[in-house]
Each structure stands twice: as C-alpha cells, then as structure tokens.
Amino acid sequence: MSAQLTANKAVSFSQCKLLYTNAAQLPQVECLQALVSQHGLSLSLSAELITVKLNQKNRELLSAESTQPILLLNDKNKLSWLSGGLSVAPEWDKLQRRVVSAGRKTELLLQAAKIAADSHVIDATAGFGHDSLILASTGARVTMLEQQPLIALLLLEEQQRMSMQPNWQKLMSRLHIINTDALSYFMNVQNMTALDATDDIDVVYLDPMFPEDSYQDSKTGKGAKVGKHMQALHHLASPPTLAQEQQLLQNAQALVSSNVNDSIDVNGDGDKIKHQGRVIVKRPQHAPLLANETPDDSWQNGAVRFDGYFV
Ligand SMILES: C[S@@+](CC[C@H](N)C(=O)[O-])C[C@H]1O[C@@H](n2cnc3c(N)ncnc32)[C@H](O)[C@@H]1O
C-alpha cells in the first residue's frame, strides 16, 4: 500500500543547504543523503562544512544571507532547521514524560480521539510530529503525512535517532512517515479496491496551519502565544483556503466512514465495543471552525480546541 502512496509528491526539487561543523560528521551527512533518496524526498541537499562559531549572531547572519533553507548538523550531531536565526527540530525526547503518562485524563487529544492499542490513526498534517507521538503512546499505529520534504526529512532523521534508544524503539516502530500531500493520499486510499485495502483507518487527525492572527481572541487578546516551531512553519506552509479545508474534512470523513471497524477494545480492558470512526481537528481555542463545519463534539482548554466529527 505504501509504495503506491509514497509516489505522490511535489514534482519540483527544493534546494537546501546542509551545514555541518566538523569533518568527522561526513558519515552523518551521507546518512542524511541516503534518507533523502530512500524516501524519494524532493530535496537536493548541498553539504557545506562551516567554520564560524554558531552563536546567535552568526545563526541570524547565516539565515539572512541564504536564499535557500538551511539545515544544520550541530557539534552534537543534532539536525535542525535554521529558520530566521532560530534552530527548530522535532524534540521527541523532551516529550518523554508526557508520552509515558499520556492517557485520557492527561491528554485532551486522547479524550477526543478515543483510540485503542489496535487502532490505526492517520496524522494528516504531521509537522514536527509532537501530536503523533501522543497518539502513538496509546499503542496505536500512526501514519504521519507531511507535505514539506524538509520537515519530512527532520521527522525521518528524528525517528532514526530515537530508534537507537531501547526505551523508544517500540513506539518508533509504530510510526510510518510519508512525505505527501494529505489530499492526494486520501484520494489514493479511496481509489484502492477493497481487495487492495489491507488496513482500516480508525481516526484521521488534522492540524492544518491557521492564520497567524487566529491564535488569540481578536477582542480580548486571550489565547496561546505562537511557539517557535509554529513561527518557523509559517515561513514554509500556508493555511488552507476554505475550499481546501472543505476537501480535507470531506475526504478525511470519507476515509474513516469507509473503514469503520466493527469492534475494538477502546478502553483497553478487553471489552470490545463498536468503534466510531472519527476525524479530529485541532484549532487554537478561538479560531473559526474548519470549513465552517459544526463538529459533533469539542474538547478545549485555555489554549487549544479539538473538534470531533464522527461517522
Ligand atoms: C500546524 S502544523 C502541525 C503540527 C503538528 N500537529 C505537531 O504536533 O507538530 C501543520 C503541518 O502540516 C503540514 N501540512 C499542511 N497541509 C498539509 C497537507 N495537505 N498534507 C500534508 N501536510 C500538510 C504543514 O507542512 C505543517 O508541517
């Protein structure tokens, strides 16, 4: 199934600089080039050894002078994207405590998604993968779709790095990262015949970009501040148009409705109940509804809202 689906990618190759700080890092550089070709990422990496000290001033200069996106391999071999002088990268190890204690009581996302250890979730807008990790902490398999090849490379490299740590290996093996546009992926899955469809999809999770001014309430100014990861993503990806929002939501709903499982162990207590396929949409607390569609249920805290559309 994945071979057919990975074929769907942007056609143009993005040029990207890969800066490394020490000649002994050449094997890591080669590993990254190998990830790009193995996963058919439409990225062309030009590797360059830099000798300047990577203090904040030089990071800002490097960002300002380059016309291409910059990936940086620091002296600890951590890969990040240098965006506007800020280094951003998936930070999965920092989520360890949350992942270990994640459950419906602690994670609003899990209350909304209601998944079980045998669920298959599609995180259609993976970004830095932080929400995917929370979803996968339940034991569920998570297919992560990310349209930007540069972000997909960061995800693949983080998965490879974390897989070397024994306590993360099981969770890492449940993540499947694909560099694709979610809409093309949805359409490919729907076009597959029942015989081809080897796998049911219980939940589709959508966290598309939203306008930078929709994080806070326009009247009260209340709401979440935009973190550095989101600030960086705003340089690369734009919020969907209303028509794209409608397509995303409709196709995601069609996918879960055609794949509703008869029964799964939702509570993890051995009692199997009929599972309700659902699409969960993440929004800033005060942001408008995706595609102006009223959800069946909503879960929110001071910063974020999860809207649930059930089949
Ligand atoms: C708001 S971020 C997601 C953040 C993510 N939930 C996390 O925990 O890090 C949105 C991401 O979805 C990606 N994206 C947006 N539209 C997409 C689409 N149609 N298909 C695949 N990826 C998409 C963007 O490139 C961006 O990386």
Side-chain angles (χ1 to χ4, degrees):
M1 171 162 143
S2 58
Q4 293 171 42
L5 298 173
T6 44
N8 237 308
K9 291 194 200 78
V11 268
S12 62
F13 274 73
S14 318
Q15 305 287 325
C16 182
K17 274 190 194 171
L18 170 60
L19 305 182
Y20 59 104
T21 52
N22 162 350
Q25 290 176 315
L26 271 175
Q28 277 80 16
V29 170
E30 280 163 16
C31 249
L32 288 168
Q33 303 273 22
L35 269 183
V36 168
S37 71
Q38 265 165 31
H39 292 268
L41 304 182
S42 51
L43 262 187
S44 162
L45 294 182
S46 55
E48 209 179 289
L49 176 66
I50 48 159
T51 46
V52 293
K53 213 174 158 207
L54 280 174
N55 55 23
Q56 188 52 32
K57 194 174 156 221
N58 284 337
R59 282 169 195 263
E60 281 168 21
L61 269 177
L62 283 169
S63 286
E65 282 168 1
S66 177
T67 51
Q68 298 171 2
I70 299 179
L71 286 171
L72 190 66
L73 201 53
N74 74 7
D75 49 5
K76 296 194 176 81
N77 284 334
K78 172 78 184 164
L79 183 72
S80 62
W81 166 34
L82 194 60
S83 168
L86 289 178
S87 287
V88 284
E91 294 178 342
W92 293 357
D93 38 7
K94 287 194 182 160
L95 285 182
Q96 177 150 16
R97 280 180 62 183
R98 257 180 84 190
V99 166
V100 168
S101 61
R104 296 220 199 123
K105 284 198 181 120
T106 54
E107 295 291 341
L108 210 53
L109 170 57
L110 297 183
Q111 270 178 48
K114 232 183 184 181
I115 46 179
D118 55 357
S119 299
H120 180 196
V121 181
I122 294 193
D123 180 350
T125 51
F128 289 96
H130 297 146
D131 291 331
S132 291
L133 238 60
I134 300 298
L135 291 163
S137 70
T138 56
R141 281 171 306 123
V142 181
T143 300
M144 301 164 65
L145 312 181
E146 173 52 52
Q147 66 182 0
Q148 296 290 338
L150 183 141
I151 304 294
L153 177 62
L154 287 170
L155 289 172
L156 289 162
E157 198 272 340
E158 184 75 345
Q159 185 187 32
Q160 202 172 58
R161 199 175 65 88
M162 297 294 283
S163 297
M164 287 175 207
Q165 301 185 31
N167 55 335
W168 282 92
Q169 272 165 3
K170 271 194 180 161
L171 194 147
M172 289 301 120
S173 69
R174 295 198 293 274
L175 303 178
H176 181 201
I177 299 161
I178 306 178
N179 173 214
T180 184
D181 165 55
L183 268 179
S184 327
Y185 180 91
F186 292 162
M187 284 168 188
N188 270 349
V189 175
Q190 280 160 35
N191 288 339
M192 288 163 79
T193 64
L195 277 179
D196 292 330
T198 51
D199 204 1
D200 285 346
I201 295 155
D202 303 295
V203 173
V204 174
Y205 176 59
L206 298 172
D207 177 14
M209 303 297 293
F210 14 75
E212 273 182 277
D213 61 7
S214 64
Y215 288 80
Q216 283 155 335
D217 187 303
S218 52
K219 289 186 194 119
T220 63
K222 283 188 183 160
K225 291 215 172 79
V226 187
K228 75 170 182 175
H229 288 92
M230 283 308 299
Q231 272 179 40
L233 281 177
H234 277 289
H235 291 294
L236 211 59
S238 325
T241 60
L242 180 61
Q244 288 166 336
E245 289 190 353
Q246 285 163 340
Q247 278 187 310
L248 266 178
L249 189 56
Q250 279 166 12
N251 281 282
Q253 284 175 306
L255 204 62
V256 285
S257 62
S258 59
N259 280 311
V260 178
N261 268 340
D262 279 345
S263 56
I264 64 162
D265 184 3
V266 171
N267 298 315
D269 57 7
D271 270 351
K272 294 205 164 189
I273 61 165
K274 195 163 174 67
H275 182 65
Q276 193 181 33
R278 45 181 71 192
V279 177
I280 302 297
V281 179
K282 184 178 184 181
R283 311 295 283 162
Q285 195 201 9
H286 301 286
L289 296 167
L290 188 76
N292 293 327
E293 282 293 328
T294 308
D296 295 292
D297 207 343
S298 249
W299 295 259
Q300 55 187 295
N301 59 28
V304 77
R305 197 178 77 226
F306 293 102
D307 294 333
Y309 300 84
F310 307 152
V311 173

